């Protein structure tokens, strides 16, 4: 089991274009691989512009559209109205430009190495 980071997942109750953060989950001891800006060519697989995260604890199972940040993030969204949520998300983007949106969730909580694999961009 590889572990190299912690991460924070913001649960999105809206859509990818209309974000409405409903909860924050801090997940300890994950494997984080960021290949954004990388391209492997010639005899190798081409993986670019993706963040791959393996979760080994299962308090919250993320879904596509959730936002993920490497490390324990102290940012709290203000979701009292759509306008404050939009302003809050702009502030979040300025403070954490390396955030990613989860695109795919592979639930592999079976067998010898139980985990959840997230792919984000």
């Amino acid at each position: 089991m590889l572990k190299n980071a912690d991460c924070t997942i913001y649960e999105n109750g809206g859509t990818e274009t209309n974000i409405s953060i409903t909860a924050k989950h801090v997940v300890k001891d994950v494997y984080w691989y960021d290949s954004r800006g990388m391209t492997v060519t010639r005899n190798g697989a081409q993986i670019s512009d993706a963040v791959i995260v393996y979760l080994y604890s299962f308090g919250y199972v993320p879904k596509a559209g959730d936002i993920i940040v490497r490390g324990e993030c102290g940012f709290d969204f203000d979701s009292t109205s759509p306008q404050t949520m939009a302003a809050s998300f702009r502030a979040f983007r300025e403070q954490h430009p390396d955030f990613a949106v989860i695109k795919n969730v592979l639930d592999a909580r079976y067998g010898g190495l139980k985990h959840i694999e997230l792919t984000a961009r």
Side-chain angles (χ1 to χ4, degrees), residues 65-86:
D66 288 353
I67 295 172
I68 190 167
V69 179
R70 185 174 183 155
E72 191 169 337
C73 184
F75 190 89
D76 291 317
F77 284 89
D78 181 6
S79 59
T80 55
S81 72
Q83 292 81 13
T84 59
M85 180 47 119

Side-chain angles (χ1 to χ4, degrees), residues 8 13 23 32 48 53 97 116:
T8 304
W32 183 285
S48 62
V53 180
I116 296 173

Side-chain angles (χ1 to χ4, degrees), residues 5-105:
D6 297 334
C7 72
T8 304
I9 300 171
Y10 290 95
E11 191 173 342
N12 183 7
T15 64
E16 285 187 33
T17 55
N18 186 15
I19 293 175
S20 176
I21 302 302
T22 57
K24 175 173 84 169
H25 306 277
V26 176
V27 183
K28 302 281 187 182
D29 297 326
V30 303
Y31 176 70
W32 183 285
Y33 178 72
D34 192 345
S35 66
R36 291 181 284 188
M38 284 176 155
T39 303
V40 178
T41 58
R42 234 208 263 266
N43 301 333
Q46 292 185 350
I47 301 172
S48 62
D49 297 331
V51 174
I52 298 171
V53 180
Y54 289 92
L55 305 178
Y56 304 110
S57 61
F58 313 115
Y60 169 69
V61 178
K63 63 185 181 315
D66 288 353
I67 295 172
I68 190 167
V69 179
R70 185 174 183 155
E72 191 169 337
C73 184
F75 190 89
D76 291 317
F77 284 89
D78 181 6
S79 59
T80 55
S81 72
Q83 292 81 13
T84 59
M85 180 47 119
S88 188
F89 189 67
R90 278 193 298 276
F92 174 78
R93 290 179 66 149
E94 289 174 7
Q95 292 179 23
H96 303 283
D98 58 339
F99 79 94
V101 177
I102 297 172
K103 299 295 183 183
N104 189 33
V105 178

